Amino acid sequence: MSTHERIRTLVVDDEPLAREGVRMLLAQDPEVDIVGEAANGREALEALRRLRPELVMLDVQMPELNGFEVLARLAPEPLPAVIFVTAYDRYALRAFEIHAMDYLLKPYDDDRFYEALRRAKDQLRLHHVQDLKAQLLSALATYQGAEAGAANPPAPQPQQPTYLTRLAIKDVGRVVFLDVAEIDWIEAADYYVQIHAGPHTYLHRETMQSLEERLDPACFMRIHRSAIVNQGRIRELRSEGRRDLMAVLSCGAVLRVARSYREKFQHLS
């Protein structure tokens, strides 16, 4: 049943006078809204799908498709409430087998018509109340689930650190954008760092500590207080004398590895 409590009703009969009679009786009920008419089975099927009435006054014997065939073609789509209107009583048992609201046998009087209509309205209201109850229970279950979720929020997932992939280096009259993968090594220079990348050296205003924290430790490693190297550029480690360990980079640079950082090379062997 619609929210404005008027029952959307379709009238189906192949006899124009029969449709007019049903329409006149329905017009006396302020709760009924006649949304359309159909004169045969195919028109009825099209109107049912297009208009989606809540109640249909349905003739049984019609051209094209009879009333039962119309409903069979409509299934499994939602069926409206049905009051069969026919001159043949032999269809009554079959009508109630498919749960018709009522079965009006022509000629019927006004009282019998309104009795069938009242019964249909009662059933539609009952279904409407049940639908509202189901919606309310569903909404309540959703609300309770949300409350339970709020009371027991899932444990926060640790955030994955994001590392620098591109560095903006300010130079005289320009800004150079350098992919960190191009860096061979980085050298401390007071409040600056010198970045060595292939044949180029860039002076960048940032401390070694700050830049080291922004670089992926899986790619860059500190080997000395004043040097960070790209691990992928280390070509060899070389011992010089009894105490010094030197890192030779693919670019030709040879850098001393401080004793306090030598443990980092164990995982490279």
Side-chain angles (χ1 to χ4, degrees):
M1 180 176 265
S2 58
T3 54
H4 50 72
E5 302 299 331
R6 289 174 63 87
I7 302 171
R8 294 170 51 80
T9 305
L10 178 69
V11 179
V12 180
D13 201 305
D14 62 331
E15 298 178 16
L17 289 177
R19 292 200 304 275
E20 183 179 356
V22 172
R23 189 171 61 247
M24 291 176 61
L25 292 170
L26 291 174
Q28 302 301 313
D29 192 320
E31 293 182 294
V32 172
D33 185 12
I34 302 174
V35 295
E37 295 183 20
N40 58 57
R42 293 196 183 279
E43 287 184 12
L45 187 59
E46 188 275 334
L48 285 165
R49 286 173 170 163
R50 177 171 52 86
L51 300 173
R52 299 291 180 184
E54 295 154 301
L55 174 65
V56 56
M57 311 295 294
L58 183 60
D59 191 9
V60 176
Q61 286 285 60
M62 294 185 296
E64 306 286 345
L65 299 169
N66 66 40
F68 297 112
E69 291 171 330
V70 168
L71 297 180
R73 297 282 183 92
L74 193 63
E77 299 174 50
L79 294 175
V82 178
I83 296 177
F84 281 107
V85 185
T86 179
Y88 305 94
D89 61 358
R90 62 179 180 273
Y91 301 119
L93 179 60
R94 188 177 177 187
F96 287 109
E97 285 176 346
I98 63 171
H99 305 290
M101 289 286 183
D102 211 328
Y103 187 91
L104 288 177
L105 186 63
K106 299 176 184 177
Y108 50 82
D109 57 29
D110 292 359
D111 290 341
R112 179 68 183 91
F113 180 91
Y114 287 121
E115 179 188 352
L117 182 59
R118 178 189 54 77
R119 187 177 302 167
K121 291 195 298 185
D122 289 344
Q123 288 297 315
L124 287 170
R125 288 196 186 94
L126 177 61
H127 292 162
H128 180 57
V129 169
Q130 290 174 340
D131 289 344
L132 289 177
K133 183 179 179 181
Q135 292 174 17
L136 179 60
L137 291 174
S138 177
L140 181 60
T142 301
Y143 171 78
Q144 290 173 333
E147 287 288 296
N152 301 285
Q157 297 297 317
Q159 293 185 344
Q160 295 295 323
T162 56
Y163 296 109
L164 191 66
T165 58
R166 205 172 188 215
L167 189 61
I169 302 172
K170 294 181 180 179
D171 200 350
V172 179
R174 65 173 185 166
V175 177
V176 177
F177 296 98
L178 178 68
D179 289 340
V180 296
E182 298 179 35
I183 297 174
D184 294 319
W185 68 288
I186 302 166
E187 182 179 9
D190 293 330
Y191 294 102
Y192 290 82
V193 292
Q194 284 190 318
I195 298 175
H196 302 272
H200 305 288
T201 298
Y202 303 97
L203 188 64
H204 175 60
R205 184 174 175 77
E206 186 171 2
T207 65
M208 284 285 280
Q209 180 68 30
S210 172
L211 184 56
E212 182 183 20
E213 291 173 354
R214 298 203 294 150
L215 294 172
D216 186 350
C219 300
F220 290 87
M221 64 186 301
R222 191 84 169 258
I223 64 169
H224 192 275
R225 182 170 54 85
S226 60
I228 296 173
V229 298
N230 185 334
Q231 296 184 37
R233 299 295 199 276
I234 299 175
R235 189 179 67 194
E236 65 176 78
L237 294 175
R238 181 188 304 165
S239 296
E240 292 189 355
R242 298 180 57 183
R243 303 180 60 177
D244 290 338
L245 178 67
M246 309 302 290
V248 181
L249 306 188
S250 54
C251 62
V254 180
L255 308 173
R256 192 168 71 86
V257 180
R259 186 181 299 274
S260 57
Y261 294 98
R262 292 183 184 182
E263 292 181 356
K264 296 181 179 180
F265 287 90
Q266 293 179 357
H267 75 281
L268 297 179
S269 59

